[in-house]
Amino acid sequence: MPIFKCDSKSDNPQVFPLDDIVCGLREARHKWRVSQNRQHEIGGRHLPSPSAISDALDSLIGALFPMRLGPNDLLQETEDYYVGYTIGVALNVLLAQVRLEVKYQYRNDSLDAEALEARAVEIMQAFSMALPRIRSQLDTDVNAAYVGDPAAGSVDEVLLCYPGILAMIYHRIAHDFYKLDAKLVARIIAELAHSQTGIDIHPGAQIGEGFFIDHGTGVVIGETTIIGERVRVYQAVTLGAKSFPVKEDGSLHKGLARHPIVEDDVVIYAGATILGRVTIGKGATVGGNVWLTHDVAPGSFVSQASSSDERFFQKNGE
């Protein structure tokens, strides 16, 4: 391995000044570690790997929907064997990644290796037992997309082709990791979905059954959002925060409830932006491109006035 000396110049001409680059990066790393009080970290990589998690998720999703998203040559008679083997491999890969996160979380504590391992195993055992429930929740999402989209020819088409369903598969998995306090693994899973679908759902968002994202590109759903059952949203919808309270030292407060509550049977059309801890009442409809920062009564229809920029509210039937 070459040794780079930052206090001397190399006599060998180079196309790229590697000595200068390496030394500059070393200085940048040092400044960052000092600013974060992390200059004494010992050992190698201690963070979960997005690529390893991605591979595990591919296997896990195939096991959740073996006859649709599993291998092409799979027969129903051997379905359980495939599921058992594939789940076992995926869960062990995820256990290794959760183990890394647990070590990272408790890096400044005095927990011994046995306690850290017990915590990682506890998380993965709880997650593994949730898989049947996750599959059942996803079935309601697939059915909601099929029923709610006249262009959907079958539930198989929905599962194979709809980005909103792929985003929800990842989200249902990520949300359980989030609840189990494996939040870095959860966030990596959410970002894998974001990169594939253009749909950005924070793993902390609570989403009820039968959720349908139609088209999907540009949808943003924040961490403390609560969504009821049978809700439908369209592309470019934002369920975001209105403001970010700060502490006396100027840093942001973390974990405050700052995103909308969307009750059951709500429809939110394309481009709508709903900000802050507001409540969209049961059965309400929010029209396209509406900007909302206050509550909406149950059963209401909210739209933009066609002749001005003012928003108006109209009860159904009035």
Side-chain angles (χ1 to χ4, degrees):
M1 182 177 296
I3 298 175
F4 293 89
K5 297 181 179 180
C6 294
D7 56 353
S8 63
K9 294 294 183 179
S10 172
D11 295 330
N12 299 323
Q14 297 176 328
V15 175
F16 303 105
L18 293 182
D19 289 346
D20 293 341
I21 294 169
V22 170
C23 294
L25 289 173
R26 180 191 298 175
E27 181 180 355
R29 291 195 307 271
H30 177 72
K31 288 180 179 178
W32 166 255
R33 287 168 180 164
V34 169
S35 70
Q36 301 295 313
N37 195 28
R38 294 170 62 174
Q39 56 266 49
H40 300 301
E41 290 184 334
I42 301 172
R45 180 188 178 100
H46 294 294
L47 297 171
S49 162
S51 61
I53 292 173
S54 179
D55 290 343
L57 263 288
D58 287 343
S59 297
L60 189 61
I61 291 169
L64 286 173
F65 297 94
M67 297 305 295
R68 296 297 177 267
L69 301 179
N72 291 332
D73 58 351
L74 183 64
L75 301 176
Q76 196 164 357
E77 303 90 86
T78 58
E79 192 175 23
D80 283 343
Y81 295 101
Y82 162 75
V83 170
Y85 174 78
T86 305
I87 286 286
V89 172
L91 291 178
N92 275 290
V93 172
L94 290 171
L95 173 59
Q97 301 309 305
V98 169
R99 187 181 291 121
L100 288 170
E101 175 165 358
V102 169
K103 290 180 178 178
Y104 174 74
Q105 285 180 352
Y106 295 99
R107 64 192 181 279
N108 296 322
D109 297 334
S110 57
L111 291 183
D112 59 25
E114 185 176 346
L116 293 172
E117 179 66 13
R119 177 59 183 145
V121 170
E122 178 186 25
I123 291 170
M124 284 307 303
Q125 286 179 336
F127 172 76
S128 66
M129 296 303 295
L131 288 172
R133 170 181 52 77
I134 290 172
R135 164 64 202 246
S136 296
Q137 290 175 321
L138 290 169
D139 286 342
T140 71
D141 300 329
V142 170
N143 190 63
Y146 173 66
V147 171
D149 186 2
S154 67
V155 290
D156 297 326
E157 177 187 341
V158 167
L159 184 57
L160 291 170
C161 303
Y162 279 42
I165 293 301
L166 180 60
M168 284 307 298
I169 292 173
Y170 276 79
H171 176 72
R172 299 286 187 199
I173 294 170
H175 184 62
D176 265 74
F177 277 115
Y178 182 91
K179 290 189 298 181
L180 292 165
D181 202 32
K183 293 183 178 179
L184 182 54
V185 167
R187 193 61 186 267
I188 290 171
I189 294 170
E191 289 307 315
L192 291 171
H194 186 193
S195 66
Q196 292 186 53
T197 66
I199 297 168
D200 185 1
I201 308 176
H202 192 284
Q206 301 175 48
I207 301 179
E209 295 186 349
F211 184 59
F212 175 32
I213 305 173
D214 200 356
H215 304 295
T217 304
V219 167
V220 177
I221 300 175
E223 178 185 19
T224 62
T225 302
I226 300 175
I227 297 175
E229 297 186 351
R230 300 173 300 279
V231 171
R232 182 165 79 243
V233 304
Y234 288 79
Q235 67 271 22
V237 165
T238 296
L239 303 177
K242 181 181 177 181
S243 60
F244 303 96
V246 298
K247 302 177 185 178
E248 292 183 359
D249 63 1
S251 63
L252 294 179
H253 278 283
K254 303 284 187 177
L256 298 178
R258 59 197 183 278
H259 299 101
I261 298 172
V262 181
E263 295 184 344
D264 297 347
D265 302 304
V266 168
V267 179
I268 305 174
Y269 282 100
T273 299
I274 304 172
L275 302 180
R277 195 59 163 185
V278 300
T279 298
I280 310 301
K282 181 177 180 179
T285 299
V286 179
N289 298 315
V290 167
W291 180 283
L292 277 176
T293 57
H294 45 75
D295 294 345
V296 174
S300 296
F301 174 74
V302 187
S303 180
Q304 285 188 331
S306 59
S307 59
S308 73
D309 289 333
E310 295 180 357
R311 279 63 172 168
F312 70 89
F313 289 77
Q314 178 180 331
K315 290 289 290 181
N316 285 344
E318 293 183 2

